Amino acid sequence: MEAHPASGGSGTAAADRLLREATAALGASGVPTPQVDAELLLAWATDTSRGAVQARALTGGAIAPEHVERFRHAVARRTTREPLQHITGEAHFRALTLSVGPGVFVPRPETEGVVQFGIDALRATAVPAPVAVDLGSGSGAIAIAMDTEVPNAVVYAVERSPEALPWTRRNVDAHGGTVRLVEGDLADALPELDGTVSVVVSNPPYVPDDMVPVDPEVRDHDPALALYGGADGLDAVRALTETAWRLLVPGGLLVIEHAEQQGVGVRDVLARRGFRSPETHVDLTGRDRTTTATR
């Protein structure tokens, strides 16, 4: 973007002009939400909020030179389709602000609805300190949401990736550190908890190996370990189903996120293992997103 100093002084620039230029550049690069991204990047560059940026643009406010430079550098990175969250270093999930970056899967808005099933089940149990497990925790989003929204729960987060684990640990520590983080594979995790867990939630890798995502943000930046789930995308689902079967108490709930076309396949995996009442639920866009079943 070309510099356009505003009347506020040498090197400053008008917020509305900066946003127009950035929106045009991001749109030309194929970014799906160029105006939103421009506003969020300017909020990050100025250490303010998106609302404050919008207000400054409406009133013709000026942006200080050091913030202009920071913003333009961030926009240049975003035009390469580097994820917005990698540039700002954070992702918002329910009431949480999580640290993210290369090596960890960026939590998606649709997962906010997935974890709600686990939270509701934990709140409904009569156990004074119900145990919950997040298999394949990544950023820790699911585990930390359950931990912070159901304070009496005892929550475990299982993650095996050496690249993702530092992010999980950082986020657990930032939000009070009460989640019990375990380095391990979802296929054989936590044998010491067999038969004691009330809720198991997982957002496993579920993209079929030959279905490479179109979006560069996903294809080029999300870790393959968190994306691909074998020929039909259900290898991790099969593994975590076995783990959940031994972990859960009778009547315990398993919650799995999956792609919209996988509901039938996930329900079949669960029914074959003996889970009761497998049911698939839609997300806010009307797409099949979550399957639940009872031990």
Side-chain angles (χ1 to χ4, degrees):
M1 297 187 304
E2 185 182 352
H4 292 275
S7 59
S10 176
T12 61
D16 57 340
R17 182 173 290 174
L18 280 174
L19 289 173
R20 284 197 304 271
E21 293 172 350
T23 299
L26 295 172
S29 302
V31 171
T33 53
Q35 182 172 342
V36 172
D37 285 31
E39 291 171 351
L40 290 172
L41 286 172
L42 188 54
W44 169 79
T46 55
D47 295 314
T48 57
S49 66
R50 184 182 173 196
V53 162
Q54 291 169 330
R56 195 178 298 190
L58 283 173
T59 59
I63 305 298
E66 64 272 20
H67 293 153
V68 172
E69 182 179 358
R70 189 182 192 205
F71 174 63
R72 289 193 165 127
H73 179 63
V75 171
R77 290 173 63 184
R78 187 70 182 102
T79 60
T80 70
R81 303 300 292 273
E82 182 178 355
L84 174 75
Q85 296 87 349
H86 284 197
I87 298 168
T88 64
E90 62 184 33
H92 300 287
F93 185 84
R94 295 178 70 94
L96 305 170
T97 298
L98 302 169
S99 296
V100 295
V104 72
F105 185 80
V106 175
R108 308 294 200 260
E110 52 266 31
T111 307
E112 296 185 11
V114 176
V115 72
Q116 188 66 53
F117 289 98
I119 289 169
D120 290 344
L122 287 170
R123 288 173 174 167
T125 183
V127 179
V131 178
V133 174
D134 172 17
L135 292 174
S137 193
S139 67
I142 289 173
I144 298 167
M146 291 192 292
D147 184 67
T148 55
E149 296 186 45
V150 191
N152 62 309
V154 178
V155 181
Y156 290 79
V158 177
E159 178 55 55
R160 72 169 179 170
S161 165
E163 290 77 31
L165 270 166
W167 297 104
T168 325
R169 188 170 293 109
R170 180 185 303 183
N171 287 319
V172 167
D173 291 346
H175 292 278
T178 56
V179 172
R180 303 180 185 193
L181 177 56
V182 177
E183 181 176 0
D185 195 297
L186 59 78
D188 56 13
L190 302 170
E192 67 275 17
L193 296 183
D194 285 358
T196 68
V197 177
S198 294
V199 175
V200 172
V201 185
S202 183
N203 177 16
Y206 54 71
V207 177
D209 289 346
D210 62 355
M211 291 183 64
V212 178
V214 174
D215 292 342
E217 291 88 345
V218 179
R219 182 187 66 232
D220 301 335
H221 295 279
D222 274 331
L225 190 65
L227 287 178
Y228 298 106
D232 63 355
L234 298 181
D235 284 359
V237 171
R238 295 184 185 94
L240 73 87
T241 295
E242 294 298 324
T243 300
W245 181 262
R246 64 173 170 78
L247 287 176
L248 287 167
V249 298
L253 184 72
L254 172 58
V255 183
I256 303 173
E257 178 173 335
H258 51 78
E260 61 180 305
Q261 72 274 16
Q262 292 175 326
V264 172
V266 174
R267 293 196 302 274
D268 182 63
V269 170
L270 296 175
R272 286 175 181 273
R273 188 60 189 87
F275 277 90
R276 293 188 289 109
S277 307
E279 182 179 359
T280 299
H281 314 268
V282 298
D283 61 20
L284 292 177
T285 67
R287 296 179 174 89
D288 285 354
R289 181 62 56 195
T290 312
T291 293
T292 58
T294 304
R295 170 73 161 90

